[in-house]
Amino acid sequence: MSELENKPVAAVEDAQEEEETVESVDVHFEPVVKLEDVVVKTHEEDETEIFKMRAKLFRFDQEAKEWKERGTGD
């Protein structure tokens, strides 16, 4: 007979809950490759904004013969 068969029902339920409980373990992985920060230039850093307007972009769907909205931007 197993150990659980000799114990009262409440003790069996407690033992089963303890088995199901998984402790959270802090897992930490060291990186395999060290990457350096790279500065990316978009050549927009020196530009001055003269005019800015929120607008919607549309495209014409040939099959449906209608304009469809593509998005909104600044």
Side-chain angles (χ1 to χ4, degrees), residues 3-69:
E3 294 176 16
L4 295 178
E5 291 177 6
N6 295 333
K7 294 183 180 180
V9 175
V12 172
E13 290 176 356
D14 290 339
Q16 288 175 347
E17 286 179 14
E18 288 177 11
E19 291 176 5
E20 293 175 3
T21 305
V22 178
E23 294 181 22
S24 63
V25 179
D26 291 334
V27 180
H28 176 73
F29 295 100
E30 290 296 323
V32 178
V33 178
K34 301 283 185 185
L35 299 177
E36 297 178 12
D37 289 339
V38 177
V39 178
V40 179
K41 284 192 164 189
T42 61
H43 300 289
E44 294 181 353
E45 294 86 13
D46 298 329
E47 292 183 358
T48 310
E49 189 174 290
I50 298 172
F51 178 76
K52 182 177 179 178
M53 182 177 171
R54 190 161 181 87
K56 287 186 178 181
L57 178 66
F58 291 89
R59 68 173 177 84
F60 188 73
D61 186 9
Q62 294 286 346
E63 294 176 8
K65 304 281 190 224
E66 65 181 3
W67 289 95
K68 296 201 173 189
E69 186 177 337

